[in-house]
Amino acid sequence: MLNRVILIGRLTKDPELRYTPAGVAVTQFTIAVDRPFSSQGGEREADFIPVVTWRQLAETCANYLRKGRLTAVEGRIQVRNYDNNEGKRVYVTEVIADNVRFLESNRDSGGSRDDAGSFGGSAPSSNNASRGGNNNSGYSRGPAADPFSDDGKPIDISDDDLPF
């Protein structure tokens, strides 16, 4: 069985960071995800999807995500229910995220920082290499450093090196 979801959308408001009685951080936010079609009136529609993050990822999201920011979320769908004050059963469907990727730079920083971040669990990593930044691994973007650049010449590969 498989329960995985990947969403890309914009935050509808700043994330809300709270702590459980045991001291575990939890953040809730909603992202607006455009539908791939327009309504009969020609207007674009969106779905508003609640997202929950836990622990270090929750604190990171609360610190760096802001309303309107384009974000990718990867996780699982969870449906929970509870009885409200009137005794009615209420069902809540939400995404429990285990990976959040910041798809645009922080517009409020005012600096020249141009990288987006990717955070999953408690291990933050940056995708500077894909944006042309310095990732301290010796990799630099450019035609000379591109391992897939062939300069228009045929590739010389032995049949023994092919996996098929």
Side-chain angles (χ1 to χ4, degrees):
M1 290 177 242
L2 180 65
N3 180 358
R4 295 301 294 170
V5 61
I6 299 172
L7 303 168
I8 297 176
R10 295 195 180 273
L11 269 72
T12 60
K13 63 180 182 176
D14 290 351
E16 298 174 16
L17 175 64
R18 290 183 290 176
Y19 291 89
T20 67
V24 178
V26 58
T27 300
Q28 295 179 315
F29 56 91
T30 301
I31 61 172
V33 179
D34 289 337
R35 291 183 178 171
F37 53 87
S38 299
S39 67
Q40 290 180 349
E43 296 179 16
R44 297 287 299 199
E45 294 183 5
D47 292 302
F48 298 90
I49 302 169
V51 178
V52 178
T53 59
W54 291 90
R55 297 175 184 76
Q56 179 64 42
L57 181 58
E59 292 176 342
T60 302
C61 287
N63 288 333
Y64 295 104
L65 286 178
R66 294 291 172 257
K67 177 181 177 178
R69 194 130 175 232
L70 188 64
T71 305
V73 172
E74 181 180 2
R76 64 182 171 84
I77 294 177
Q78 173 178 286
V79 179
R80 60 183 172 87
N81 63 67
Y82 63 92
D83 293 328
N84 67 8
N85 295 339
E86 300 167 359
K88 279 189 110 173
R89 176 130 316 170
V90 177
Y91 290 89
V92 178
T93 303
E94 56 201 2
V95 173
I96 307 301
D98 53 36
N99 189 7
V100 174
R101 185 171 294 257
F102 308 151
L103 298 180
E104 44 187 23
S105 62
N106 189 353
R107 290 181 257 177
D108 299 329
S109 67
S112 62
R113 188 165 175 222
D114 189 23
D115 59 316
S118 171
F119 298 95
S122 62
S125 64
S126 174
N127 69 350
N128 286 347
S130 67
R131 300 280 306 258
N134 181 5
N135 66 356
N136 298 325
S137 67
Y139 177 79
S140 64
R141 297 239 353 177
D146 186 358
F148 300 105
S149 174
D150 61 4
D151 296 326
K153 300 173 188 160
I155 300 172
D156 184 26
I157 296 178
S158 165
D159 286 344
D160 295 334
D161 291 335
L162 296 175
F164 45 89

